[in-house]
Amino acid sequence: MRGWITFAVMSVVTLILLAPIFNIVILSFQGPQTLSGDPVWTVDNFVEIFTQTPVLTYLTNSLLVTLGTTVFGVVIGALAGYPLSRLRNRFARGYSLTLFVVQGLPVIVIVIPLFVVFAAIGLADTLSGVAIIFIAGSMAVTCWMMASYYDSIPYELEEAAWVDGASVFGAFVRIVLRNSYPGILSAAIFSFLVAWNDYLVAVVFLRSESNFTLPIGLQYFFQQNSTDWGPVMAMSVVMLLPPVIIFATLNRYFSIGGIGGAIK
């Protein structure tokens, strides 16, 4: 009985949380109302944003920044998380503390000084400059995530690989990384969401419309079409789709990996 009550409560909470998303999707397919007051269901809103707005440019910019952030963030986190997991000395503790302090700094405190520095070296109003900030912003958490997953992999597996002639790096690649797929996917999704959903950094650094990412493009488009909700909601749906696709595609891989069968 308790299980059914928990299920019912969680279902209600989930529906409440998803209600705004359902509303966005419904509004994106609604056109002007008829004389009787009934809405017209149409795909004209999507046709309009893809033919009359630079939404593809916004989408491409977001994908470039996000993919760059994800790849570099995961690579750096996977490499930097290993010494955090395996080393137990002052350097490792100081390194971990530094990551904690940097991650705890409010973004608004550092974004203006960073803009001044990036403007001086020619990285302001560039996608590469924004990607660098996203990578740095996600690196601390990805390091912790990977270090925590490495902790679940027995150290004896690496020792066995060393006895068999593997180098330290070889054992890391062949033993640790090969059994860390769920941790890598978690770090990748975190890095993806950091870059994809960011608004504050992008709105400060990006000035040219040709460099706008989707959050900035959506806000700019909303300012120009504040009385016409259909196209704005359609562009919102475009922004919602990539994270949904990523989660739907990668969700089943979270059960793959681990240390099952690693002894063999």
Side-chain angles (χ1 to χ4, degrees):
M1 183 64 180
R2 180 179 299 178
W4 284 104
I5 294 176
T6 303
F7 175 76
V9 171
M10 295 301 297
S11 298
V12 172
V13 172
T14 301
L15 288 175
I16 292 174
L17 294 176
L18 291 178
I21 297 178
F22 291 149
N23 190 46
I24 290 173
V25 175
I26 291 172
L27 290 175
S28 69
F29 287 100
Q30 285 187 359
Q33 293 183 346
T34 62
L35 294 177
S36 62
D38 297 327
V40 177
W41 298 99
T42 178
V43 295
D44 289 346
N45 295 324
F46 290 93
V47 174
E48 178 180 341
I49 64 170
F50 280 108
T51 58
Q52 302 181 26
T53 72
V55 65
L56 288 177
T57 299
Y58 304 155
L59 180 61
T60 301
N61 292 341
S62 284
L63 289 175
L64 288 175
V65 171
T66 302
L67 291 177
T69 301
T70 302
V71 171
F72 284 97
V74 170
V75 171
I76 294 173
L79 295 175
Y82 183 71
L84 285 181
S85 172
R86 295 299 190 248
L87 296 181
R88 297 291 185 268
N89 53 40
R90 291 182 179 180
F91 174 78
R93 289 193 295 269
Y95 177 53
S96 179
L97 178 62
T98 301
L99 290 178
F100 177 80
V101 172
V102 171
Q103 184 64 27
L105 294 175
V107 177
I108 190 63
V109 172
I110 62 176
V111 89
I112 302 302
L114 280 176
F115 178 80
V116 174
V117 173
F118 277 40
I121 61 178
L123 287 177
D125 195 22
T126 63
L127 297 177
S128 57
V130 172
I132 291 172
I133 297 176
F134 291 160
I135 294 169
S138 64
M139 186 179 67
V141 176
T142 56
C143 287
W144 288 331
M145 293 173 70
M146 294 306 301
S148 297
Y149 201 86
Y150 293 156
D151 288 341
S152 67
I153 300 176
Y155 188 64
E156 290 76 13
L157 294 178
E158 293 175 77
E159 292 179 332
W162 297 337
V163 170
D164 290 339
S167 63
V168 174
F169 184 75
F172 167 70
V173 173
R174 297 176 182 177
I175 302 298
V176 179
L177 277 185
R178 289 186 64 180
N179 291 285
S180 301
Y181 291 147
I184 293 172
L185 288 177
S186 298
I189 288 178
F190 174 80
S191 299
F192 177 90
L193 293 178
V194 165
W196 186 263
N197 295 328
D198 178 83
Y199 174 81
L200 178 59
V201 173
V203 78
V204 171
F205 276 78
L206 301 178
R207 301 294 179 176
S208 304
E209 187 177 2
S210 59
N211 289 329
F212 283 177
T213 56
L214 260 178
I216 308 304
L218 178 60
Q219 181 261 345
Y220 181 73
F221 183 64
F222 172 71
Q223 290 179 338
Q224 296 179 322
N225 299 269
S226 57
T227 59
D228 190 1
W229 285 95
V232 175
M233 294 300 103
M235 190 174 292
S236 300
V237 171
V238 172
M239 185 172 176
L240 287 171
L241 281 178
V244 172
I245 294 173
I246 291 294
F247 275 100
T249 303
L250 299 181
N251 179 61
R252 64 191 181 97
Y253 292 105
F254 277 95
S255 60
I256 299 177
I259 60 173
I263 298 296
K264 181 184 296 183

